[in-house]
Amino acid sequence: MKVGIVGANGYSGVELIRLLQQHPYVTIEKIVSHSTHGKNILELYPHLYGVNEMILEKWNLDELSNLDFVFFATPSGVSKDIIPPLLDKGVTCIDLSGDFRLKNAGDYETWYKKTSAPAEYLQKATYGLSEVYRDKIKQAKLVANPGCFPTATLLGLLPALKKQIIHANTIHVDAKTGVSGAGRNANLTNLFTEINENIRAYKVGEHQHIPEIEQVISDISGEQVPITFITHLIPINRGILCTMYADLVEQVTTEEVHQIYKDMYKDEMFIRIRPIGEWPTTKEVMGSNFCDIGVMVNRRTNKLIIISVIDNLVKGAAGQAMQNMNIINGWEEHIGLNNSPLYP
C-alpha cells in the first residue's frame, strides 16, 4: 500500500515515518510540508540517516490522489481545507489534527477559534478511538484521530462510565504533558530555561480537547455533562499522565472496580491494567502504543481514582493513527506497533 504523510516535518509526522518504516505492508511514497518543502528530511531530523532520506514536497492534489492512504499531521485549521478534495478522489485519510473531531461546527469555531470544515465532511468523519469505535473505523474513509489528552482521559474513564459506577457530572481530570505535545515551533514557553525545573498550568478551562472529551462521554453515557479538565506542562520530552476523580454511584471496592477494568479491556492488546496498588508512569510506555491504567476506590471520600498514561506521540498521535490504518485494512492491529517501550 502506498501512503503519504502531510506535515511530515513535525513531531507527529516524523513519528509516523518511524512507525510506518516498520510496517511490512506499506511504503512511504510522499512526505509533504508547506513550510520546509524542498529540503531533505535529514536536514530536519539527522537521526533518519539510512532510514528515510526523502525530499519534503509541496502539496500536490493530483500526485497525492495516486496514493492509497494519506496521514495528515498538520496544525489545526489546515486539513479541513485540503482533505475534502482528496477524499472526493477516493483516497482514505487519517487526520491527526482536531479539524474533524467535533460533529458540531459551532463547537469547533468556539474552541479552536477557526472556521470549521464543511458540515457534510464533519458527518463523514469517524472518530478514531480505536478500542471504542472499532466497528465504525472498519468502514471509514476519513478518520478523525483523537487528541492525545482525550485518548488518555477517555480510555481511563470509559469502563467506569459504561458500567455506570460513577456520576458523569462529577468528573475532574488533572492532565500533565511533556513538551513535545506543543510541537516543534519556536515558543518562549518551551525554552529550556522556561520549562526546566518548572511546571505550569495552561489553557485553564479553555483547552480545545474539552469538547472532544465531553462529546464522547455524552455518546457513552447518554447525557450531556461538563467536565473539569486542567492541563499542565511538565519538563519531560514525551508522555501524558492523567489523574481522574469522580463520585461513585454506590459503594464498591477497589477489587471490584479493578475487575471491571480487566474484563472490559481483556482483549485489548494495547491497554494494560496495572495490579492493584501499582501506578503507571510515563516512562513505562515511552515509545510504545500502550495505555497503562491504575484504579483505586477512595473509601473515605467515596470517589474513584483513575490514573492513565500514554506516549503522546504514539498512542496519542502516530501510533493510534497506524492502529486505525490496520483496522481499516483488516490487518492485525499490532502490525508495526508491537515494539516494547523504551526504558530507561
Side-chain angles (χ1 to χ4, degrees), residues 178-195:
V179 187
S180 61
R184 209 185 193 203
N185 292 329
N187 187 310
L188 175 64
T189 303
N190 299 339
L191 290 176
F192 179 82
T193 49
E194 299 291 330
I195 189 64

Side-chain angles (χ1 to χ4, degrees), residues 151-164:
T151 296
T153 300
L154 292 167
L155 290 176
L157 287 171
L158 288 179
L161 288 168
K162 286 186 174 182
K163 289 296 183 179
Q164 299 181 334

Side-chain angles (χ1 to χ4, degrees), residues 95-138:
D95 181 27
L96 279 68
S97 82
D99 284 8
F100 294 92
R101 294 176 192 156
L102 302 179
K103 292 300 183 184
N104 186 304
D107 287 342
Y108 178 88
E109 292 173 0
T110 297
W111 290 88
Y112 283 83
K113 314 299 183 189
K114 302 175 188 292
T115 304
S116 171
E120 62 180 296
Y121 290 96
L122 293 179
Q123 299 311 311
K124 288 180 181 179
T126 297
Y127 188 68
L129 191 60
S130 307
E131 287 77 13
V132 179
Y133 296 107
R134 182 175 285 113
D135 290 341
K136 292 181 179 180
I137 294 168
K138 289 177 181 177

